[in-house]
Amino acid sequence: MKIERIEAIPYAIPYTHPLKFASGEVTTADHVLLRVHTDTGLVGVADAPPRPYTYGETQASIVAIVEQVFAPQVTGLDVLDRGKIHAVLNRTIHNQVAKGALDIALWDLMGKATQTPVHKLLGGYTDHMRVSHMLGFRPAQELLDEALRFGEEYGITTFKLKVGRRPLGLDIEACHVLREGLGEDVDIYLDANRGWTANEALEVLRRTEGLGLSLLEEPCDAKEAMSRRRLVQKSPIPVVGDESVPTAGDVSRELLSGGCNAICVKTARSGFTEAQQILGLCTGLGVDVTMGNQIDTQIGSLATVTFGAAHEATSRRAGELSNFLDMADDLLAEPIRIENGTISVRDVPGVGAAIDEGKLAKYRLS
Ligand code: MUC
Ligand code: MG
């Protein structure tokens, strides 16, 4: 099964409810749909969400690197020769989201070719994941209203609160209001997207003591190596690396240097292949993992649940799977459903992201 051609289709779908966080804001899903066509007629599908403030990739750069660099290098290669394909892709540094989407499209093809769901090929641990919902910057009472609504409508009991604002009191107040309004059985954790210094993060931890927050993600820039290590040593809760650890090499650097002691796995930037390497590293070292969200569409969320449900360690905690609910529309032919706070994998060959061609025609930019 040889790669014949690769389409990189830019599209834009507005958000009804923009997500704001310390490193940026998303008002439109200006993503790239990748389709890998083979000589057997099978097509592998994946979504690439550009996050310039996180990785430096843009919609235009993803289209360009795929069309001008990756497609010419891998056209003609056998989809099953993934080691060869990755060796070729890895000659180009960075471009994690473009590489991640290509990898997911290759797994989709392997599933379709073998008539097997990809969650089974990856590990088949379980068939669903609990859902964690991400709450962006808003006044404290609005955050509580939103969390209560998601609890009631979808059965979600885990929330990641975006923090990293100054003055620190804004986020500290939000933590107190959420805990008081949601009760102690709801899991609340924080993600500062590098908005604070390590010492500011320590102050926030002091002023939220007793609230039972479960994790603190990317509190400060990883370049603050010494202060960040001090924060990790003093923190009563795990400090999660996210944008500081897009590759397995970054994960080992941050864990060995003490810059974090838990890891956020994101299929959007690691694909399934490197996400498995990262997971193996974390499992071997006894480090907790979370399944993160790159502010994904339903296509991306399906990839996350496919990977997360496939392994025991990634299905322990709720995965961040619900932010597509804030989009005006999506490209998936069969929408994802959240029931009793969970999302199920699809028992169809591949990842199961069949595209609604009418919607693609409506939202594509070229
Ligand atoms: C997250 O976990 O940080 C925000 C920026 C990004 O790259 O991903 C999101 C969510
Ligand atoms: Mg994060």
Side-chain angles (χ1 to χ4, degrees):
M1 182 173 47
K2 297 223 165 76
I3 298 174
E4 232 174 36
R5 68 190 170 93
I6 301 178
E7 283 181 285
I9 308 170
Y11 68 92
I13 301 179
Y15 270 78
T16 50
H17 186 111
L19 186 79
K20 195 159 191 234
F21 42 95
S23 54
E25 181 173 14
V26 171
T27 54
T28 306
D30 45 3
H31 294 195
V32 181
L33 182 74
L34 286 196
R35 294 210 273 209
V36 178
H37 296 259
T38 64
D39 59 357
T40 62
L42 291 176
V43 181
V45 176
D47 196 46
R51 297 287 164 253
Y53 29 78
T54 311
Y55 309 110
E57 289 169 279
T58 64
Q59 188 178 48
S61 84
I62 289 174
V63 172
I65 198 85
V66 171
E67 287 183 346
Q68 294 166 26
V69 180
F70 295 153
Q73 288 175 337
V74 301
T75 299
L77 294 183
D78 192 313
V79 168
L80 293 179
D81 293 343
R82 287 179 303 121
K84 205 181 279 179
I85 295 174
H86 283 290
V88 169
L89 296 181
N90 288 336
R91 279 190 221 138
T92 303
I93 61 162
H94 305 312
N95 294 285
Q96 283 300 123
V97 174
K99 289 177 187 168
L102 272 175
D103 181 67
I104 291 169
L106 295 178
W107 277 91
D108 190 36
L109 281 167
M110 287 190 283
K112 285 170 173 161
T114 56
Q115 289 287 307
T116 313
V118 172
H119 72 98
K120 293 256 186 216
L121 290 180
L122 286 168
Y125 176 72
T126 184
D127 62 1
H128 67 279
M129 280 193 88
R130 284 184 301 117
V131 174
S132 162
H133 185 67
M134 210 152 57
L135 300 165
F137 288 175
R138 293 176 154 235
Q141 188 56 44
E142 284 181 29
L143 288 168
L144 176 59
D145 293 344
E146 188 178 337
L148 288 170
R149 183 169 67 79
F150 275 86
E152 215 157 276
E153 268 181 49
Y154 302 104
I156 294 174
T157 57
T158 304
F159 295 94
K160 168 154 115 175
L161 176 65
K162 287 296 193 185
V163 294
R165 292 180 287 182
R166 296 187 177 105
L168 306 182
L170 285 171
D171 293 328
I172 293 168
E173 186 206 355
C175 292
H176 283 269
V177 168
L178 282 177
R179 176 54 78 213
E180 198 155 302
L182 297 175
E184 55 186 38
D185 291 338
V186 166
D187 184 358
I188 304 171
Y189 59 108
L190 309 182
D191 182 359
N193 286 111
R194 299 161 284 138
W196 294 324
T197 64
N199 289 331
E200 284 173 321
L202 262 175
E203 186 182 335
V204 172
L205 286 177
R206 268 197 307 275
R207 290 169 62 188
T208 53
E209 218 183 315
L211 291 184
L213 303 173
S214 60
L215 304 166
L216 173 59
E217 185 170 311
E218 215 68 86
C220 61
D221 201 293
K223 293 195 185 89
E224 258 197 75
M226 222 172 132
S227 299
R228 186 153 137 135
R229 185 160 33 174
R230 184 167 152 269
L231 165 67
V232 171
Q233 283 163 356
K234 287 186 177 283
S235 172
I237 55 176
V239 176
V240 185
D242 174 11
E243 50 264 51
S244 60
V245 291
T247 69
D250 297 315
V251 170
S252 57
R253 183 205 63 229
E254 278 307 296
L255 289 175
L256 289 173
S257 68
C260 63
N261 51 6
I263 296 294
C264 175
V265 177
K266 286 185 176 172
T267 53
R269 63 163 177 239
S270 306
F272 294 156
T273 303
E274 190 151 30
Q276 276 195 324
Q277 291 163 3
I278 289 171
L279 183 59
L281 198 50
C282 293
T283 307
L285 291 167
V287 167
D288 282 356
V289 295
T290 63
M291 284 308 299
N293 186 307
Q294 203 67 78
I295 320 176
D296 290 302
T297 59
Q298 295 193 29
I299 308 170
S301 303
L302 203 51
T304 302
V305 74
T306 296
F307 185 88
H311 311 90
E312 195 265 337
T314 45
S315 56
R316 266 184 229 151
R317 289 189 54 85
E320 295 161 15
L321 295 165
S322 57
N323 285 83
F324 65 81
L325 293 168
D326 296 334
M327 289 172 60
D329 204 352
D330 213 289
L331 296 183
L332 216 51
E334 164 115 12
I336 290 184
R337 283 205 307 271
I338 304 178
E339 283 165 345
N340 297 324
T342 67
I343 292 182
S344 295
V345 294
R346 297 202 159 165
D347 266 321
V348 297
V351 175
I355 300 301
D356 181 322
E357 294 299 329
K359 288 186 178 180
L360 180 59
K362 177 173 173 191
Y363 296 114
R364 66 184 296 162
L365 301 175
S366 67

